[in-house]
Amino acid sequence: MLNLFGRRRKSASADGQNEAPQGELPRHVAIIMDGNGRWAHRRGLPRIAGHHAGMKTVREVIRACDDFGIPCLTLYAFSTENWKRPEGEVEYLMRLPEEFFRSEIDELVDRGVQVRFIGDTTKLPTHTQETVRRTLERTKTNDGMTVNFALNYGGRAEVVEAVRAVAREVAAGVLDADALDEDKFAIHLSTHGLPDPDLVIRTSGEVRLSNFLIWQAAYAELWFTDVLWPDFDRDQLRQALTEYTGRMRRFGGLK
Ligand code: FPP
């Protein structure tokens, strides 16, 4: 069965685990994965244990989104502000993509997932950049779900970068400043070609966007949960999607 956006819903598994909520599902879900540190702290574990547990949730959530037929998922894995964390934690976070893709790449390829990265990956350690390069290469021809990892990503930095690109076009006489509109501007964002997020989820009880997709999420529905990211699972996601399908989106107009 095709969903409303032409994407094929997976057939339901015998245990109903694959079953997506009824209704118009988001084309793009974006998640602020928060609460790894608190999850670890509550267990008397080092913060990095929380990040490791969070990585397993990443795997489960990608699987669930793919099973539910969500065409695009963006995960906030490392922000431009996260460099302020202790060196050891940053180092660990920079190793996680390597570990994650080493164990998951075959399944991602089997599922036809195309992996993309948003954020300034040129500032990542060489080994992380190598993982980024290899992952892009392995998945570039896949035509299934898109999974974006936001790595060294900041919404304001992204907008400034886009403004620079537009300014260059104007200076070069390629673009008339008065002809600039939202669509022409958005071409210069790292999410170009993807739908704007319809649903932004944040875990751990914090209620803010933290510089995540600030342009793209202008009309997104927001969903917050107190559940810490390592405890987030398929049922939580289903709950968020169910609530989303019940919301009336008006985009400033009248229904
Ligand atoms: C925020 O929780 C989480 C992060 C800054 C890192 C998120 C990273 C992962 C979930 C793993 C990423 C996996 C891959 C494959 C790249 P926090 O540490 O701020 O939690 P706290 O607010 O409880 O301290």
Side-chain angles (χ1 to χ4, degrees):
M1 179 184 43
L2 291 178
N3 72 14
L4 285 164
F5 307 102
R7 190 165 146 69
R8 192 167 292 283
R9 286 188 186 217
K10 299 279 160 86
S11 48
S13 57
D15 58 4
Q17 279 284 307
N18 288 359
E19 206 143 314
Q22 291 302 306
E24 191 173 323
L25 293 178
R27 290 186 299 169
H28 185 170
V29 174
I31 308 184
I32 303 172
M33 310 181 285
D34 200 3
N36 294 348
R38 276 163 283 170
W39 183 92
H41 183 73
R42 284 177 196 174
R43 287 162 178 76
L45 297 169
R47 292 180 56 80
I48 59 170
H51 295 316
H52 197 263
M55 185 180 69
K56 293 183 184 161
T57 306
V58 167
R59 179 182 62 205
E60 292 313 312
V61 166
I62 293 174
R63 283 180 179 162
C65 282
D66 188 42
D67 291 343
F68 293 166
I70 305 287
C72 183
L73 170 70
T74 299
L75 299 166
Y76 206 4
F78 193 89
S79 76
T80 45
E81 288 71 37
N82 287 151
W83 296 107
K84 295 180 208 151
R85 294 185 176 217
E87 203 181 317
E89 182 173 343
V90 169
E91 239 166 61
Y92 188 79
L93 285 168
M94 288 298 145
R95 291 273 168 205
L96 275 185
E98 216 169 317
E99 180 177 344
F100 178 78
F101 289 110
R102 197 183 317 116
S103 68
E104 301 307 317
I105 194 70
D106 289 341
E107 178 174 341
L108 292 171
V109 169
D110 278 352
R111 285 178 178 266
V113 172
Q114 183 173 103
V115 178
R116 292 171 52 156
F117 294 86
I118 59 171
D120 186 358
T121 55
T122 65
K123 302 283 184 326
L124 302 176
T126 318
H127 62 86
T128 318
Q129 287 190 46
E130 186 48 31
T131 297
V132 166
R133 192 198 59 74
R134 268 202 313 268
T135 307
L136 288 172
E137 186 58 33
R138 272 291 304 272
T139 66
K140 68 181 181 194
T141 55
N142 290 350
D143 61 0
M145 175 194 185
T146 300
V147 179
N148 288 312
F149 284 84
L151 268 185
N152 192 23
Y153 174 85
R156 287 185 175 183
E158 182 186 34
V159 169
V160 169
E161 197 47 53
V163 170
R164 279 198 195 111
V166 167
R168 274 188 227 109
E169 287 187 357
V170 172
V174 180
L175 177 72
D176 174 0
D178 291 325
L180 181 67
D181 59 20
E182 292 181 11
D183 288 340
K184 289 199 183 86
F185 181 77
I187 287 171
H188 300 285
L189 297 173
S190 58
T191 49
H192 175 52
L194 301 173
D196 281 341
D198 301 298
L199 174 65
V200 174
I201 294 173
R202 183 170 189 151
T203 58
S204 91
E206 308 292 345
V207 188
R208 50 178 183 273
L209 280 181
S210 298
N211 206 12
F212 186 45
L213 301 174
I214 51 173
W215 170 281
Q216 299 90 333
Y219 282 101
E221 294 295 322
L222 308 179
W223 193 82
F224 301 99
T225 174
D226 287 340
V227 170
L228 304 175
W229 177 249
D231 292 328
F232 191 85
D233 60 14
R234 185 176 285 252
D235 287 336
Q236 286 283 313
L237 180 67
R238 195 180 279 114
Q239 210 177 305
L241 295 174
T242 302
E243 201 173 311
Y244 170 88
T245 60
R247 290 195 191 171
M248 194 183 288
R249 303 184 77 200
R250 294 194 298 267
F251 299 96
L254 300 175
K255 202 71 179 179

Short mmCIF file of all heavy atoms in Angstrom, two decimals, residues 148-182:
data_model
loop_
_atom_site.label_atom_id
_atom_site.label_comp_id
_atom_site.label_asym_id
_atom_site.label_seq_id
_atom_site.Cartn_x
_atom_site.Cartn_y
_atom_site.Cartn_z
N ASN A 148 19.19 11.73 7.87
CA ASN A 148 20.19 12.80 8.01
C ASN A 148 20.77 12.78 9.40
O ASN A 148 20.01 12.85 10.36
CB ASN A 148 19.52 14.18 7.93
CG ASN A 148 19.06 14.53 6.57
OD1 ASN A 148 19.79 14.38 5.62
ND2 ASN A 148 17.83 15.00 6.49
N PHE A 149 22.07 12.75 9.48
CA PHE A 149 22.71 12.93 10.78
C PHE A 149 23.22 14.37 10.85
O PHE A 149 24.01 14.78 9.99
CB PHE A 149 23.88 11.95 10.95
CG PHE A 149 23.42 10.55 11.25
CD1 PHE A 149 23.04 9.69 10.22
CD2 PHE A 149 23.34 10.10 12.56
CE1 PHE A 149 22.59 8.41 10.49
CE2 PHE A 149 22.89 8.82 12.83
CZ PHE A 149 22.52 7.97 11.81
N ALA A 150 22.75 15.11 11.84
CA ALA A 150 23.24 16.48 12.03
C ALA A 150 24.47 16.41 12.92
O ALA A 150 24.40 16.07 14.10
CB ALA A 150 22.15 17.34 12.67
N LEU A 151 25.60 16.68 12.32
CA LEU A 151 26.90 16.54 13.00
C LEU A 151 27.64 17.86 12.89
O LEU A 151 27.91 18.32 11.78
CB LEU A 151 27.74 15.46 12.30
CG LEU A 151 27.68 14.02 12.77
CD1 LEU A 151 28.70 13.19 12.00
CD2 LEU A 151 27.95 13.90 14.26
N ASN A 152 27.98 18.45 14.01
CA ASN A 152 28.53 19.81 14.02
C ASN A 152 27.55 20.72 13.28
O ASN A 152 27.93 21.48 12.40
CB ASN A 152 29.91 19.88 13.39
CG ASN A 152 30.58 21.22 13.66
OD1 ASN A 152 30.23 21.90 14.62
ND2 ASN A 152 31.51 21.60 12.80
N TYR A 153 26.30 20.59 13.67
CA TYR A 153 25.22 21.34 13.02
C TYR A 153 24.73 22.45 13.95
O TYR A 153 24.56 22.25 15.15
CB TYR A 153 24.05 20.41 12.70
CG TYR A 153 22.87 21.19 12.15
CD1 TYR A 153 22.79 21.50 10.80
CD2 TYR A 153 21.87 21.69 13.00
CE1 TYR A 153 21.74 22.27 10.30
CE2 TYR A 153 20.83 22.46 12.51
CZ TYR A 153 20.77 22.74 11.16
OH TYR A 153 19.75 23.51 10.68
N GLY A 154 24.46 23.60 13.35
CA GLY A 154 23.81 24.71 14.06
C GLY A 154 22.92 25.43 13.07
O GLY A 154 23.35 25.73 11.94
N GLY A 155 21.68 25.68 13.44
CA GLY A 155 20.73 26.32 12.53
C GLY A 155 21.17 27.71 12.12
O GLY A 155 21.09 28.08 10.95
N ARG A 156 21.66 28.50 13.07
CA ARG A 156 22.07 29.86 12.72
C ARG A 156 23.26 29.84 11.78
O ARG A 156 23.32 30.61 10.81
CB ARG A 156 22.40 30.65 13.99
CG ARG A 156 21.18 31.00 14.77
CD ARG A 156 21.56 31.88 15.94
NE ARG A 156 20.38 32.34 16.66
CZ ARG A 156 20.42 33.17 17.69
NH1 ARG A 156 21.57 33.62 18.13
NH2 ARG A 156 19.30 33.55 18.27
N ALA A 157 24.23 28.99 12.06
CA ALA A 157 25.41 28.89 11.18
C ALA A 157 24.97 28.49 9.77
O ALA A 157 25.50 29.00 8.77
CB ALA A 157 26.39 27.86 11.74
N GLU A 158 23.99 27.61 9.70
CA GLU A 158 23.50 27.16 8.39
C GLU A 158 22.86 28.33 7.63
O GLU A 158 23.09 28.50 6.42
CB GLU A 158 22.48 26.04 8.59
CG GLU A 158 21.95 25.49 7.27
CD GLU A 158 20.84 24.48 7.48
OE1 GLU A 158 20.06 24.63 8.44
OE2 GLU A 158 20.75 23.54 6.68
N VAL A 159 22.07 29.14 8.35
CA VAL A 159 21.42 30.29 7.70
C VAL A 159 22.47 31.30 7.25
O VAL A 159 22.41 31.82 6.13
CB VAL A 159 20.37 30.92 8.66
CG1 VAL A 159 19.88 32.26 8.11
CG2 VAL A 159 19.20 29.98 8.87
N VAL A 160 23.47 31.55 8.10
CA VAL A 160 24.53 32.51 7.72
C VAL A 160 25.26 32.00 6.47
O VAL A 160 25.55 32.77 5.54
CB VAL A 160 25.52 32.72 8.90
CG1 VAL A 160 26.76 33.48 8.44
CG2 VAL A 160 24.83 33.47 10.03
N GLU A 161 25.53 30.71 6.44
CA GLU A 161 26.21 30.13 5.27
C GLU A 161 25.37 30.33 4.01
O GLU A 161 25.88 30.67 2.93
CB GLU A 161 26.45 28.63 5.54
CG GLU A 161 27.48 27.96 4.66
CD GLU A 161 28.78 28.76 4.53
OE1 GLU A 161 29.40 29.13 5.53
OE2 GLU A 161 29.15 29.02 3.37
N ALA A 162 24.06 30.15 4.14
CA ALA A 162 23.16 30.34 3.00
C ALA A 162 23.14 31.81 2.57
O ALA A 162 23.13 32.12 1.37
CB ALA A 162 21.75 29.86 3.36
N VAL A 163 23.16 32.72 3.56
CA VAL A 163 23.17 34.16 3.24
C VAL A 163 24.46 34.48 2.46
O VAL A 163 24.43 35.22 1.47
CB VAL A 163 23.08 35.01 4.53
CG1 VAL A 163 23.34 36.49 4.22
CG2 VAL A 163 21.70 34.85 5.18
N ARG A 164 25.56 33.90 2.91
CA ARG A 164 26.83 34.13 2.19
C ARG A 164 26.71 33.69 0.73
O ARG A 164 27.14 34.39 -0.18
CB ARG A 164 27.96 33.31 2.83
CG ARG A 164 28.55 33.94 4.03
CD ARG A 164 29.93 33.32 4.34
NE ARG A 164 30.30 33.68 5.68
CZ ARG A 164 30.37 32.84 6.72
NH1 ARG A 164 30.15 31.55 6.54
NH2 ARG A 164 30.68 33.27 7.91
N ALA A 165 26.13 32.53 0.53
CA ALA A 165 26.00 32.00 -0.85
C ALA A 165 25.13 32.92 -1.69
O ALA A 165 25.44 33.20 -2.86
CB ALA A 165 25.41 30.58 -0.81
N VAL A 166 24.04 33.41 -1.11
CA VAL A 166 23.15 34.32 -1.83
C VAL A 166 23.91 35.62 -2.15
O VAL A 166 23.84 36.13 -3.27
CB VAL A 166 21.88 34.61 -1.00
CG1 VAL A 166 21.11 35.78 -1.59
CG2 VAL A 166 21.00 33.38 -0.92
N ALA A 167 24.63 36.14 -1.16
CA ALA A 167 25.37 37.41 -1.35
C ALA A 167 26.38 37.25 -2.50
O ALA A 167 26.54 38.17 -3.32
CB ALA A 167 26.08 37.79 -0.06
N ARG A 168 27.01 36.09 -2.55
CA ARG A 168 27.98 35.85 -3.64
C ARG A 168 27.28 35.88 -5.00
O ARG A 168 27.79 36.45 -5.95
CB ARG A 168 28.67 34.49 -3.46
CG ARG A 168 29.89 34.57 -2.56
CD ARG A 168 30.64 33.25 -2.56
NE ARG A 168 30.95 32.88 -1.19
CZ ARG A 168 30.42 31.89 -0.50
NH1 ARG A 168 29.56 31.08 -1.08
NH2 ARG A 168 30.75 31.67 0.74
N GLU A 169 26.08 35.25 -5.05
CA GLU A 169 25.34 35.23 -6.32
C GLU A 169 24.94 36.65 -6.74
O GLU A 169 25.01 36.99 -7.91
CB GLU A 169 24.09 34.37 -6.19
CG GLU A 169 24.39 32.88 -6.14
CD GLU A 169 23.11 32.02 -6.18
OE1 GLU A 169 22.00 32.57 -6.19
OE2 GLU A 169 23.27 30.79 -6.21
N VAL A 170 24.53 37.43 -5.76
CA VAL A 170 24.12 38.81 -6.08
C VAL A 170 25.34 39.59 -6.56
O VAL A 170 25.30 40.29 -7.58
CB VAL A 170 23.46 39.49 -4.84
CG1 VAL A 170 23.21 40.97 -5.10
CG2 VAL A 170 22.15 38.78 -4.49
N ALA A 171 26.47 39.43 -5.83
CA ALA A 171 27.69 40.16 -6.20
C ALA A 171 28.16 39.77 -7.59
O ALA A 171 28.68 40.60 -8.35
CB ALA A 171 28.79 39.89 -5.17
N ALA A 172 27.94 38.50 -7.94
CA ALA A 172 28.40 38.02 -9.26
C ALA A 172 27.39 38.37 -10.36
O ALA A 172 27.62 38.06 -11.54
CB ALA A 172 28.60 36.51 -9.20
N GLY A 173 26.29 38.98 -9.97
CA GLY A 173 25.28 39.37 -10.96
C GLY A 173 24.44 38.20 -11.45
O GLY A 173 23.71 38.29 -12.43
N VAL A 174 24.52 37.06 -10.73
CA VAL A 174 23.75 35.87 -11.13
C VAL A 174 22.32 35.96 -10.59
O VAL A 174 21.39 35.38 -11.14
CB VAL A 174 24.43 34.59 -10.57
CG1 VAL A 174 23.68 33.34 -10.94
CG2 VAL A 174 25.87 34.51 -11.03
N LEU A 175 22.16 36.68 -9.49
CA LEU A 175 20.84 36.78 -8.86
C LEU A 175 20.51 38.25 -8.59
O LEU A 175 21.34 39.00 -8.07
CB LEU A 175 20.86 36.00 -7.53
CG LEU A 175 19.59 36.06 -6.70
CD1 LEU A 175 18.47 35.24 -7.34
CD2 LEU A 175 19.85 35.52 -5.28
N ASP A 176 19.28 38.62 -8.94
CA ASP A 176 18.78 39.95 -8.62
C ASP A 176 18.25 39.88 -7.18
O ASP A 176 17.39 39.03 -6.88
CB ASP A 176 17.66 40.27 -9.63
CG ASP A 176 16.95 41.58 -9.31
OD1 ASP A 176 17.33 42.23 -8.31
OD2 ASP A 176 16.02 41.93 -10.06
N ALA A 177 18.75 40.74 -6.31
CA ALA A 177 18.36 40.67 -4.89
C ALA A 177 16.84 40.70 -4.72
O ALA A 177 16.29 40.03 -3.84
CB ALA A 177 19.00 41.80 -4.10
N ASP A 178 16.16 41.46 -5.57
CA ASP A 178 14.71 41.57 -5.43
C ASP A 178 13.99 40.28 -5.87
O ASP A 178 12.81 40.10 -5.57
CB ASP A 178 14.17 42.75 -6.25
CG ASP A 178 14.64 44.07 -5.63
OD1 ASP A 178 14.72 44.13 -4.39
OD2 ASP A 178 14.95 45.00 -6.40
N ALA A 179 14.72 39.43 -6.57
CA ALA A 179 14.10 38.17 -7.04
C ALA A 179 14.23 37.06 -5.99
O ALA A 179 13.70 35.97 -6.15
CB ALA A 179 14.73 37.73 -8.35
N LEU A 180 14.98 37.35 -4.93
CA LEU A 180 15.18 36.32 -3.89
C LEU A 180 13.86 36.05 -3.17
O LEU A 180 13.16 36.98 -2.76
CB LEU A 180 16.22 36.80 -2.86
CG LEU A 180 16.54 35.80 -1.74
CD1 LEU A 180 17.25 34.57 -2.29
CD2 LEU A 180 17.40 36.46 -0.66
N ASP A 181 13.51 34.79 -3.07
CA ASP A 181 12.32 34.42 -2.29
C ASP A 181 12.68 33.22 -1.41
O ASP A 181 13.84 32.76 -1.41
CB ASP A 181 11.11 34.13 -3.20
CG ASP A 181 11.39 33.01 -4.18
OD1 ASP A 181 12.33 32.21 -3.93
OD2 ASP A 181 10.68 32.90 -5.20
N GLU A 182 11.73 32.72 -0.67
CA GLU A 182 12.03 31.66 0.30
C GLU A 182 12.57 30.40 -0.39
O GLU A 182 13.50 29.77 0.09
CB GLU A 182 10.77 31.33 1.12
CG GLU A 182 10.40 32.49 2.04
CD GLU A 182 9.17 32.22 2.89
OE1 GLU A 182 8.72 31.05 2.94
OE2 GLU A 182 8.67 33.17 3.50
#
